Amino acid sequence: MTELLWGSAQPPSRGPKPAVTLAGIAEAAIGIADAEGLDAVSMQRVADELPVTKMALYRYVPGKAELVAVMSDLAMGAPPERPSLPWREALYAWSMDLYEGFRRHPWLLLSTIGRRPIGPNELTWMDRGVRALTDTGLDGSEQLDAIVVLVGHVRTLTLQTTTVPGRQGLTEEAFLSDFAAILTTHGDRFPSLAAAMRSAGQDNQGLEFGLQRILDGLELLINARKA
């Protein structure tokens, strides 16, 4: 697995010239996952998209678990370079870039959780986030925890605003519409909620509101350390 993710695996040396590459296999799998969800990805389905048989794929990747790891790291890509930004602006931009990445490939929300092999692109995202906090006075644990909190918020809001292909779900806009309809009928039972909904803005502000509050908290801590 490490060899596949970190580019040290050797291509098949026997037989005819390879008809595909590991990157080409991963790209085919990404296309399937983008259209139909992660559950639709299988060795047979990927082979159907390529000029090779299912058995031939095993010369490149041992199985679906390994394929998912490779395609996930490829889909994440490297984070955009944003040099010379102050730590707060850098983390805000980093978080929004991550949000857009999850929006492009919603199945990444499923494939990048739990214990799993981690590839170079995912580690580059982590490194870039931590880099923004390097000179803030926070220790290593605090820097890592700050990134975990930001990633958790971005993941949650992406789930609320994106329907993952192949999985049942509602966008946040659809959820709020249904929620408002319930309160229209039963608002007298939930007066505080009904009042909040009436005074709420029409735009989805959950991502922005949460990011700014997390960054406010980090700024308080960083300023306290400097003091």
Side-chain angles (χ1 to χ4, degrees):
M1 175 65 78
T2 301
E3 291 78 10
L4 289 175
L5 282 171
W6 291 85
S8 56
Q10 297 298 316
S13 58
R14 298 180 181 178
K17 182 179 179 180
V20 296
T21 64
L22 179 61
I25 294 168
E27 288 169 357
I30 289 170
I32 295 169
D34 285 347
E36 303 176 43
L38 194 61
D39 291 343
V41 176
S42 67
M43 299 296 279
Q44 182 61 64
R45 183 65 190 282
V46 173
D48 291 343
E49 301 289 325
L50 298 169
V52 294
T53 65
K54 174 183 175 181
M55 294 307 298
L57 287 183
Y58 289 105
R59 300 173 64 201
Y60 301 86
V61 58
K64 180 175 177 178
E66 293 81 4
L67 174 59
V68 169
V70 173
M71 63 187 276
S72 296
D73 202 64
L74 181 62
M76 288 192 72
E81 287 282 357
R82 298 186 182 277
S84 304
L85 288 177
W87 73 264
R88 180 165 181 144
E89 286 81 353
L91 279 186
Y92 177 82
W94 179 89
S95 299
M96 295 302 295
D97 289 335
L98 184 63
Y99 174 73
E100 291 303 325
F102 283 140
R103 293 268 290 178
R104 285 192 298 271
H105 305 290
W107 52 271
L108 283 171
L109 295 165
L110 306 174
S111 68
T112 56
I113 57 175
R115 186 174 183 180
R116 67 194 187 284
I118 297 179
N121 284 328
E122 187 172 357
L123 280 183
T124 301
W125 276 94
M126 295 171 64
D127 182 78
R128 196 68 53 78
V130 169
R131 181 194 301 176
L133 294 167
T134 299
D135 297 322
T136 59
L138 301 185
D139 64 32
S141 294
E142 291 166 335
Q143 293 172 23
L144 291 170
D145 287 342
I147 296 306
V148 168
V149 171
L150 286 167
V151 171
H153 178 64
V154 170
R155 280 183 172 277
T156 298
L157 268 293
T158 311
L159 279 170
Q160 290 182 348
T161 58
T162 305
T163 299
V164 179
R167 300 293 179 97
Q168 292 184 342
L170 290 175
T171 64
E172 185 174 14
E173 290 79 6
F175 172 77
L176 289 176
S177 177
D178 292 346
F179 190 56
I182 294 172
L183 289 178
T184 299
T185 305
H186 303 286
D188 57 329
R189 296 178 58 187
F190 313 102
S192 297
L193 279 174
M197 286 293 293
R198 285 194 297 270
S199 65
Q202 297 299 311
D203 297 331
N204 166 31
Q205 300 179 12
L207 178 65
E208 177 73 19
F209 180 84
L211 285 179
Q212 295 301 339
R213 300 299 74 76
I214 293 169
L215 295 173
D216 285 345
L218 287 173
E219 188 166 8
L220 284 173
L221 179 61
I222 289 169
N223 288 342
R225 291 292 170 78
K226 291 179 179 178

